[in-house]
Amino acid sequence: MKAVIPAAGLGTRFLPITKSSPKEMLPIIDRPAIQYVVEEAINSGIEDIVIVTGRGKEAIERYFDMAYELERVLEERGEMEKLQEVRRISEMASIFFVRQKMPLGLGHAIYVAKNHMGEESFAVLLGDDIIVADKPCIKQLREIHKKYGCSVVAVQEVEKEDVRKYGIVEGEEVEKGVYRIERMIEKPSPEETASRNAIMGRYILTPAIFKCIERTEPGKKGEIQLTDALNLLLEKEDIYAYEFRGRRYDLGNKFDWLRINVEMAMQHDDFREKMRKFLQKILQD
Ligand code: G1P
């Protein structure tokens, strides 16, 4: 299976840093956020990844490229551990880049990867959603996709007042945590839906989605929304929603970025104890 990682967004919720630095390159400890997303795909058995970028996102391409001069310096200095880490990043998967020339929406961003995807189902991982889970979220979705043979979206329950931030899924629960979708609404007001099941930036899509994106009119924010294209797909094929296990962080949200750094520090052998002591001290003062 191949994957698309849309990473062309302007990152306006994380200004001013995103004025000159892509939000996908925000560091979580010592690596950029997008590396966690790429590693989720790899740990789910996916090795062919298309990253959809746009203007100002060149740092992402450079990060996954070979860094010849740097590697030579590290080699000369005998810093073999660093050298291996730097090399590993450029060799971790087959990564392809395609540019979305205008920010016309998530549906459109996925469409620009169409020619690379062929006639197979593929995964979509939004570059600004980081999911920390024992079993990678996309692997969980692949299992549901295998069982039901159709498109699957990852969902989690959100507070009623937060439904307006997400694509919301309405449907019937067919087994624990699995819903056959009846309707999807992009960023509804809480009055528009009784459901609180929100799409969390992970999808397995059948190739029929591309024809649906072609037919999708601009929706919320005047953009070609993936959620609207999924509603068209629903006229032809079943789509399931799966309540995945894991914690999701939204990199567009500054507080989530702080939270994930603390969580990752607590999982890191070098920082766990230091962080615990530091937090205890700060909370006492
Ligand atoms: C996008 C999707 C939305 C989904 C969300 C998850 O919205 O359009 O359906 O719930 O990602 O992060 P965005 O947050 O890019 O506006």
Side-chain angles (χ1 to χ4, degrees):
M1 183 176 273
K2 298 178 182 177
V4 186
I5 301 181
L10 297 174
T12 48
R13 285 185 297 154
F14 220 121
L15 279 166
I17 178 81
T18 46
K19 191 178 167 205
S20 67
S21 178
K23 72 175 163 202
E24 294 79 10
M25 292 302 290
L26 284 168
I28 298 171
I29 312 274
D30 56 358
R31 56 205 59 194
I34 195 158
Q35 187 173 337
Y36 291 85
V37 181
V38 167
E39 284 180 352
E40 179 188 329
I42 294 169
N43 294 333
S44 305
I46 296 171
E47 278 164 12
D48 182 311
I49 298 168
V50 177
I51 301 182
V52 182
T53 65
R55 272 186 294 285
K57 302 274 183 168
E58 294 76 14
I60 303 176
E61 295 183 31
R62 282 201 303 279
Y63 186 76
F64 289 105
D65 195 4
M66 191 183 163
Y68 178 71
E69 294 80 0
L70 175 63
E71 288 188 18
R72 229 181 53 187
V73 170
L74 292 173
E75 205 162 1
E76 277 166 15
R77 290 187 189 160
E79 301 202 68
M80 298 326 247
E81 229 175 85
K82 285 185 187 158
L83 177 65
Q84 269 171 14
E85 175 68 14
V86 164
R87 262 203 197 132
R88 189 182 74 84
I89 293 161
S90 61
E91 290 168 355
M92 59 171 56
S94 297
I95 301 185
F96 303 87
F97 292 93
V98 50
R99 276 170 91 115
Q100 184 190 24
K101 292 178 186 149
M102 295 283 283
L104 297 178
L106 179 58
H108 179 263
I110 289 163
Y111 193 79
V112 298
K114 174 175 181 266
N115 288 345
H116 192 91
M117 289 300 135
E119 289 304 310
E120 308 272 307
S121 291
F122 60 97
V124 176
L125 299 89
L126 300 195
D128 48 7
D129 283 339
I130 312 282
I131 294 172
V132 180
D134 292 338
K135 188 192 279 183
C137 182
I138 275 293
K139 196 172 192 178
Q140 298 178 39
L141 291 197
R142 287 189 77 176
E143 288 170 7
I144 302 297
H145 169 72
K146 204 167 164 203
K147 182 164 176 189
Y148 291 92
C150 50
S151 298
V152 186
V153 305
V155 294
Q156 248 176 15
E157 207 171 275
V158 295
E159 298 294 329
K160 194 171 167 51
E161 65 267 24
D162 287 334
V163 298
R164 59 173 79 253
K165 297 183 190 159
Y166 298 95
I168 297 295
V169 161
E170 291 174 353
E172 177 204 355
E173 192 164 22
V174 290
E175 64 172 286
K176 195 170 171 359
V178 182
Y179 301 81
R180 191 184 308 106
I181 298 180
E182 281 151 13
R183 182 167 83 121
M184 279 157 283
I185 323 156
E186 181 65 11
K187 304 195 174 76
S189 67
E191 298 75 46
E192 273 175 90
T193 180
S195 169
R196 293 199 279 128
N197 269 338
I199 304 174
M200 290 301 179
R202 296 291 183 272
Y203 311 75
I204 306 284
L205 301 176
T206 60
I209 192 67
F210 292 117
K211 281 233 157 59
C212 298
I213 296 173
E214 283 170 14
R215 289 169 44 222
T216 302
E217 300 286 336
K220 281 267 151 74
K221 292 200 279 177
E223 295 178 347
I224 308 290
Q225 296 292 348
L226 179 60
T227 307
D228 296 343
L230 283 167
N231 267 321
L232 294 178
L233 185 62
L234 201 53
E235 292 170 9
K236 296 206 185 113
E237 298 177 0
D238 281 345
I239 306 178
Y240 285 78
Y242 178 62
E243 230 171 72
F244 66 97
R245 283 174 299 277
R247 271 188 303 287
R248 174 251 185 190
Y249 295 92
D250 169 17
L251 265 203
N253 178 315
K254 294 173 187 177
F255 187 60
D256 268 18
W257 177 76
L258 290 171
R259 287 199 308 136
I260 193 169
N261 270 286
V262 175
E263 164 151 7
M264 288 306 172
M266 294 304 289
Q267 286 184 17
H268 198 293
D269 290 343
D270 295 349
F271 300 124
R272 190 175 306 110
E273 270 318 299
K274 286 184 194 167
M275 190 58 142
R276 191 189 306 281
K277 282 191 186 136
F278 171 71
L279 289 176
Q280 272 165 354
K281 185 166 184 322
I282 274 225
L283 291 171
Q284 271 165 17
D285 286 352

